[in-house]
Amino acid sequence: PKTAWPPTLKAMAAWSHFRTLFMARSGTFILYGLFTALLGLASGICMFIVVLPLACTSSCFLMIPCFGQLIYIPFTYLIAVATIPIPIFFRAFSLEFLRQFSAQYDCFKWSPYEFE
């Protein structure tokens, strides 16, 4: 395809394009998959170690009569905000991985206003 964005390929054509890219660099894709799995495992372990005690602590605040909910709601909000960078990292990491193969896969150079 001429450009990667905006998407103009049908699904079967896109899979065919991906298959040729995968066959040309299968080792790189396999290493990416292993590295992503390792990062996912590490982030899961960190989330379990950090977030689970915080979630249990915030749930204990609900046992406090009258004021427990006033503490619980901001505490759970802070936990949610603190964990947002993890899925954002994985999404950006996959886009950066594709970016190395060709300039047509560079999703960061496009502006949404270029196509209007």
Side-chain angles (χ1 to χ4, degrees), residues 35-57:
F35 187 66
T36 304
L38 183 68
L39 284 176
L41 180 67
S43 69
I45 290 171
C46 288
M47 292 282 287
F48 186 76
I49 290 172
V50 173
V51 173
L52 186 67
L54 291 175
C56 291
T57 304

Side-chain angles (χ1 to χ4, degrees), residues 50-113:
V50 173
V51 173
L52 186 67
L54 291 175
C56 291
T57 304
S58 68
S59 297
C60 290
F61 286 136
L62 286 175
M63 291 188 267
I64 301 171
C66 300
F67 297 109
Q69 211 168 18
L70 294 174
I71 299 169
Y72 174 76
I73 292 172
F75 202 74
T76 53
Y77 175 77
L78 290 175
I79 292 171
V81 168
T83 58
I84 285 174
I86 294 170
I88 300 298
F89 166 77
F90 280 104
R91 179 58 61 194
F93 185 65
S94 64
L95 293 175
E96 285 289 335
F97 171 73
L98 281 177
R99 185 182 191 180
Q100 72 180 335
F101 296 121
S102 173
Q104 71 181 7
Y105 302 121
D106 188 2
C107 296
F108 295 113
K109 74 175 180 179
W110 300 103
S111 168
Y113 303 107

